[in-house]
Structure formats: structure tokens, C-alpha cells
Amino acid sequence: MSNLYNRIAVFRAERGVSRRELAEAVGVNNQTIGYLERGDYKPSLELAMKIAAYFGVSVELLFSFQRFESVADTLRRAAAAGDQQ
Amino acid sequence: MSLLKKLDDLVYAIGIDKILFRKVRPRSLRWIPLFVLAALIVGYVLMASIASRPTAKFFVGWLLFYGAYMTAMLLRTFGPRFVATARDPLDERELTVKARAYATSGIGITVLAMLGCCYMAGAEPLGIWRPHMPNDWISLALGLQAIAMLLPTWIASWLQPPPLADQED
């Protein structure tokens, strides 16, 4: 079975949302959000779409079968692209 | 202060409300059910091995068996959540864990019952022990009930990873 990676923790930290707040918004137990973030639980399509809708992004931005680039790498790449321009 | 108010306060003071209203934080009980199961089996063997009752050995077995039986009933409250409350319905992860735990324990109990029936069928011709007193049979039924209560809690505890250290509660 393939791994399903997600960036819920990153989005949550960026928006300053607690696990409890996110859990209440999408209708799950706050432990479930913790298990999702740790990669210990794969959400249903319904839950994945609810979380994506909560953050206002597409599901692909939040969940992926490939490991996400780290925030540091993304920033470094963005800075390098800015320098080139 | 009325007697009812005193009793009400007592319930909250000793924490029974946490069990009644399922306010207990769910925990992974990966090992405790095995100890309870062991106590249940040892208790049954001690009770059933005595032909002439009552003896001290029988009472030790009785205490072990019924202690384990009561613990099996209580453990469900402290283990992974199986029962939804109006305030906290079970979410999709908890429902999945519950379904898998009950399905697996159902298979386990079926296999156990089948093996038990085969044993009973062979016990008399082979001249080995089998339940013969009414107490043996009743205890066996209660033991099966306790196992049916313990197995889902034990299996669900292994199905879900250990709880997070940071609960953000």
C-alpha cells in the first residue's frame, strides 16, 4: 500500500489553527487530525475534501503520494527564482 | 443539603460520572486485556478443577475469575472508543477501527467456539476433563462473554497507533 503524504500541519501552523479547531470544523475527533498529520491514518475522500475546503486549497495541494518538498527548500527555490528575474 | 444532592455530589467526587458519561480519554490497552484474559483462564481452571466444593482454592479461582470478568466489562470504558455520545459521535477513523476490531474478534471467538465444541466432543471418549457441574457451564458462558468484551478492545488498541503526546487540548 502506498504512502499518502500531507501538509496539514504546515497549513495549520501557517493559519494558526489548532488541531481541535480543525477537527471541529471538519467533524472529526482532534486525535484523528493528529493521526492524519503523522501519516498514521489515510482519510476518506470526503474528509480530505473537507480539510482542503477548510484551507481553501485543492486536495492535491494538501495530499500527495509523493513526499512534499520541505518548506525550507520551497523558500530557497523561490528566492533563487526571484534572483534570476 | 438533601440526601439526593449528597449522593449526586458523591458521584462527581469519586469520578463515576466520567465512566457513566464516557468522559474518559481513550487509551491504547495493548497488554492489560492479556493479563485479564490470563486471570480469567486461571480463575476458571482453579474453580473447575475442584470436585468437592467449597475449598480455599475454589474461592481464589472464583475471585480471580469474577474479578477478571468485572474488569473486562470496565476496560471497554478506558480503551479505544466504541460508543458514541451525543457530544462526541464516532468519526470515520474510530468507526473503521471499531468495525475491524469487532470483525477480527468475531472470527477469533468463532474459532474458539469451534475448537471448544471439538474438545467437548472428544473429551468424553478420551476420558479427559470437561465441564460437568452447572457452575462450570455458567462460568464458561460468562468467560466467553468476557472474552467477547476484551477482544475488540485489545485488537482496536493494536490497530490504532499510540495516542499523540501533544494533544493540544
Side-chain angles (χ1 to χ4, degrees):
Chain A
M1 212 181 272
S2 54
N3 283 332
L4 184 66
Y5 300 95
N6 71 76
R7 285 199 280 216
I8 298 172
V10 175
F11 274 82
R12 216 168 43 76
E14 189 205 326
R15 312 274 168 104
V17 177
S18 71
R19 273 192 202 127
R20 184 173 286 278
E21 285 166 336
L22 176 59
E24 280 172 10
V26 298
V28 294
N29 188 313
N30 62 321
Q31 274 202 339
T32 300
I33 299 295
Y35 287 134
L36 275 172
E37 288 180 356
R38 271 200 328 203
D40 286 333
Y41 175 65
K42 291 179 184 175
S44 66
L45 180 59
E46 185 188 345
L47 179 57
M49 289 184 79
K50 275 184 183 171
I51 296 171
Y54 178 81
F55 290 119
V57 294
S58 63
V59 177
E60 296 84 358
L61 270 180
L62 213 51
F63 296 94
S64 170
F65 289 117
Q66 274 81 45
R67 199 180 281 276
F68 284 106
E69 191 179 39
S70 73
V71 177
D73 286 346
T74 310
L75 290 173
R76 213 171 285 132
R77 199 162 42 79
D83 286 346
Q84 279 177 0
Q85 284 173 2
Chain B
M1 190 185 277
S2 70
L3 178 66
L4 282 177
K5 175 83 174 80
K6 278 181 186 166
L7 288 173
D8 209 28
D9 289 346
L10 184 70
V11 163
Y12 287 104
I14 58 180
I16 293 179
D17 62 306
K18 290 193 174 104
I19 296 171
L20 287 178
F21 302 119
R22 299 185 184 275
K23 293 180 192 163
V24 184
R25 212 182 107 206
R27 292 165 198 282
S28 270
L29 301 172
R30 294 184 167 189
W31 301 108
I32 295 172
L34 291 183
F35 293 119
V36 178
L37 194 64
L40 203 69
I41 294 167
V42 172
Y44 184 81
V45 169
L46 284 178
M47 277 198 302
S49 64
I50 310 295
S52 56
R53 289 159 194 171
T55 64
K57 201 173 158 188
F58 175 81
F59 282 116
V60 170
W62 188 90
L63 277 177
L64 258 179
F65 182 83
Y66 285 100
Y69 177 79
M70 295 303 289
T71 311
M73 300 296 132
L74 264 179
L75 267 188
R76 283 167 65 86
T77 315
F78 300 100
R81 286 197 330 133
F82 292 142
V83 181
T85 60
R87 213 169 51 113
D88 289 313
L90 297 178
D91 68 20
E92 59 169 53
R93 180 186 60 83
E94 290 168 317
L95 285 172
T96 307
V97 168
K98 179 182 175 180
R100 287 179 64 194
Y102 272 88
T104 313
S105 65
I107 294 168
I109 290 163
T110 306
V111 170
L112 190 69
M114 284 171 68
L115 290 176
C117 289
C118 294
Y119 174 84
M120 299 292 180
E124 196 166 1
L126 292 172
I128 50 180
W129 179 90
R130 68 184 174 88
H132 51 280
M133 303 278 284
N135 184 60
D136 296 342
W137 285 105
I138 290 166
S139 301
L140 196 61
L142 293 176
L144 268 176
Q145 187 195 9
I147 292 170
M149 300 293 264
L150 278 175
L151 274 185
T153 300
W154 181 62
I155 293 167
S157 297
W158 281 99
L159 281 177
Q160 64 181 25
L164 305 158
D166 170 25
Q167 293 295 321
E168 287 187 15
D169 283 337

